[in-house]
Amino acid sequence: MTRIAFVASERPEAQDARAKLARHYGEVRPEEAQVIVALGGDGFMLETLHAQIDSCTPIYGMNWGTLGFLMNEYSEDGLLERISAAERTVVHPLRMVVADMHGGLHRALAFNEVSLLRQARQTAKLRISIDGKERLAELFCDGALVSTPAGSTAYNFSAHGPIIPLDAQVLALTPISAFRPRRWRGALLRHTAKVKFEILEADKRPVSAVADNFEVRDVLEVHVSEDRDLALTMLFDAGRSLEERVLAEQFSS
C-alpha cells in the first residue's frame, strides 16, 4: 500500500494530523488511492463510508474524535506496516425509503442504524410489519430503530438493544422508551428481513426518520432493509479487529 489519501474532520487537531501524515507519506486523491486514511471520530468514519459508497477502496481510521470505537489509535509511525497487517471487516448498509406527509419520497443509507424519533411532546404511535406480516399493531414509544451488527454497540445499545456479532447475519429491532406494550424489548431479525413502520396519528404524533446523519421529518411510512449489493471494507490493527471490539464490549462493565 503506497498510494494513500488522507481525509480529516473539521477539528483543527485532525487537520494538523492530516497535514503531518501527508508530508511524511505523500498523498493522492481519494479516487486514485489504494487506501483511505480517515482522521476523526466515529461520526467522521460514518461520513467517510458514505462518501466512498461507490468505491471499493478500504478505509483505515485513526482516532481524533471523542469515542473512536470504529477507529484505530493515532500514531504517525509505522503507518504502512499497520495498514499492510490490518484485518479487514466488510460492512453492508441499511437502505431506508421514506414517504412523508407532504408527498415526498426519500432514500438514504445507514451503516449504523435507521431510527424513528418522535418530533413533539406526544409519544409516537407505530405499527410494525416484518416481511409483509403485521407483528405489532400499536407501539407507543419515543421511537424505534433497526441496527446493523456494526452499529449495535452505538445508539442501539444505549436503547438497551443487544450487541450483535458481525457474522451473525441478523439485525436488531429495538424500541426507544416503549410505553405500551411496556414489556416489549424488541426483536432479532434475519438480515434479509424487510421492516415496515407505519406512523399512526401522524398529524397528532409527528415522527422523524434518521439514517445515520440524514433526517426526514413528518414521515408517514418507513421501509428498512439491508443492501447486500453494497459492501465497504474497514481496516483495523491486527488483534484489534472490529469483531474483537464488538465481542469485548459484551464483557465490559
Side-chain angles (χ1 to χ4, degrees):
M1 293 285 186
T2 56
R3 299 197 306 274
I4 303 176
F6 294 98
V7 295
S9 70
E10 295 180 354
R11 293 184 61 178
E13 302 92 332
Q15 289 291 327
D16 289 344
R18 195 209 71 81
K20 291 179 182 178
L21 290 168
R23 286 195 299 269
H24 187 81
Y25 293 98
E27 65 174 336
V28 298
R29 294 179 299 176
E31 58 269 25
E32 300 171 339
Q34 292 171 288
V35 63
I36 293 173
V37 174
L39 303 167
D42 288 345
F44 185 69
M45 173 57 82
L46 292 177
E47 290 181 25
T48 305
L49 287 168
H50 282 279
Q52 300 301 319
I53 197 68
D54 296 322
S55 169
C56 296
T57 308
I59 301 171
Y60 180 90
M62 287 201 288
N63 187 29
W64 267 109
T66 303
L67 295 177
F69 186 81
L70 299 176
M71 314 299 276
N72 300 288
E73 290 185 6
Y74 176 80
S75 174
E76 295 180 25
D77 301 324
L79 180 59
L80 296 180
E81 291 77 9
R82 292 171 70 184
I83 291 173
S84 295
E87 300 181 28
R88 293 172 173 249
T89 295
V90 176
V91 293
H92 302 280
L94 299 174
R95 184 171 293 277
M96 177 181 79
V97 180
V98 180
D100 67 28
M101 297 170 60
H102 314 292
L105 189 66
H106 311 269
R107 303 175 187 274
L109 299 172
F111 287 94
N112 266 6
E113 74 278 319
V114 170
S115 54
L116 278 68
L117 305 165
R118 63 171 178 154
Q119 288 179 201
R121 55 184 174 79
Q122 294 275 16
T123 58
K125 188 178 181 182
L126 309 177
R127 178 182 294 135
I128 302 176
S129 301
I130 310 296
D131 294 328
K133 182 175 182 178
E134 181 182 293
R135 292 293 182 179
L136 206 54
E138 291 183 345
L139 172 64
F140 288 82
C141 57
D142 279 355
L145 61 85
V146 179
S147 171
T148 67
S152 66
T153 62
Y155 192 6
N156 171 72
F157 187 51
S158 297
H160 306 290
I163 294 176
I164 305 171
L166 293 187
D167 59 355
Q169 295 191 333
V170 297
L171 305 173
L173 170 59
T174 302
I176 302 170
S177 300
F179 179 72
R180 191 168 69 233
R182 193 180 298 272
R183 296 185 184 278
W184 189 63
R185 294 292 181 263
L188 288 174
L189 311 174
R190 288 179 55 86
H191 72 95
T192 56
K194 300 184 184 304
V195 184
K196 176 184 176 181
F197 297 97
E198 297 171 80
I199 287 71
L200 308 179
E201 303 178 19
D203 290 332
K204 179 182 178 182
R205 306 170 185 273
V207 169
S208 66
V210 182
D212 285 347
N213 58 358
F214 177 83
E215 181 180 14
V216 180
R217 297 178 71 80
D218 301 323
V219 305
L220 283 177
E221 194 169 289
V222 180
H223 297 258
V224 183
S225 59
E226 187 183 60
D227 192 331
R228 300 293 290 187
D229 292 331
L230 293 175
L232 273 78
T233 300
M234 302 172 66
L235 301 177
F236 294 90
D237 287 334
R240 291 285 296 153
S241 68
L242 187 57
E243 291 89 341
E244 170 60 27
R245 296 177 193 202
V246 170
L247 179 60
E249 191 73 10
Q250 297 181 78
F251 296 91
S252 63
S253 56

